[in-house]
Amino acid sequence: MDPIQVLGKKDVRSEVQVNVENTAGQLLVKNTFAGNAFEGTARDTEKPKRYVRGMSKMAKQHFINRKDCPVKNHFIGLAKWTREDSVKAFDTYLWSQHQKDAIEKPAKDWFNARVKELMAGHNIDLIDDIDFVKGNDDSHGYTLKNYIEYLAQEI
């Protein structure tokens, strides 16, 4: 499962399947199953939890449409614009700003912090102000997700 997920306020994060290799970086995580998953039950009562490399279990949540968020979608709420139109406009705006190297400092700092979290092995939840996110046209979080992944690959 993807380490970055776009969710609504009432959405629940999908289960994360841990792979042997972690492309986003690795973090030492306290885990009871340091070896085979089946041998962990009896051993856990005798030995304390150990640290192993992998993804953290708790996802870091970021609310992306709050008024204090530097990457909120300013196109939502414009007269005669549907949500789909505003999401497409934000996508075009972000990538054009990237090409011009004109992303504002607060937004650039926000993106750099998310890339560091991703590279450290944390799961990230980008939470929009709608109840449920059904597709790419419902939230600008998918644009943010793609941009964070793009920046992480550039490093």
Side-chain angles (χ1 to χ4, degrees), residues 49-89:
K49 294 182 179 181
R50 296 192 288 170
Y51 285 92
V52 296
R53 297 209 178 267
M55 299 293 282
S56 63
K57 292 184 181 184
M58 290 298 297
K60 295 196 175 214
Q61 297 182 343
H62 300 283
F63 295 90
I64 57 174
N65 247 353
R66 302 274 169 94
K67 65 180 180 179
D68 60 340
C69 183
V71 294
K72 72 178 187 172
N73 190 348
H74 298 284
F75 299 103
I76 290 179
L78 294 178
K80 298 182 183 178
W81 280 51
T82 64
R83 188 165 184 90
E84 182 179 333
D85 292 339
S86 63
V87 168
K88 287 180 182 177

Side-chain angles (χ1 to χ4, degrees), residues 9-130:
K9 291 187 289 187
K10 295 182 180 179
D11 281 332
V12 179
R13 183 170 183 60
S14 301
E15 288 295 320
V16 176
Q17 298 172 354
V18 179
N19 294 333
V20 176
E21 67 278 348
N22 181 359
T23 59
Q26 292 187 343
L27 175 74
L28 285 176
V29 180
K30 206 175 244 191
N31 192 349
T32 57
F33 305 122
N36 188 351
F38 296 110
E39 68 186 34
T41 54
R43 187 184 52 181
D44 290 342
T45 57
E46 300 167 1
K47 295 181 181 178
K49 294 182 179 181
R50 296 192 288 170
Y51 285 92
V52 296
R53 297 209 178 267
M55 299 293 282
S56 63
K57 292 184 181 184
M58 290 298 297
K60 295 196 175 214
Q61 297 182 343
H62 300 283
F63 295 90
I64 57 174
N65 247 353
R66 302 274 169 94
K67 65 180 180 179
D68 60 340
C69 183
V71 294
K72 72 178 187 172
N73 190 348
H74 298 284
F75 299 103
I76 290 179
L78 294 178
K80 298 182 183 178
W81 280 51
T82 64
R83 188 165 184 90
E84 182 179 333
D85 292 339
S86 63
V87 168
K88 287 180 182 177
F90 181 82
D91 184 60
T92 304
Y93 170 76
L94 179 66
W95 288 104
S96 67
Q97 291 297 99
H98 171 76
Q99 288 177 341
K100 296 176 191 175
D101 196 25
I103 295 178
E104 298 173 358
K105 183 168 175 25
K108 192 177 280 193
D109 292 343
W110 188 90
F111 282 120
N112 289 337
R114 300 302 79 79
V115 169
K116 286 179 184 177
E117 288 174 2
L118 182 65
M119 297 302 286
H122 295 287
N123 293 321
I124 300 172
D125 288 345
L126 302 175
I127 301 174
D128 206 338
D129 281 344
I130 58 177

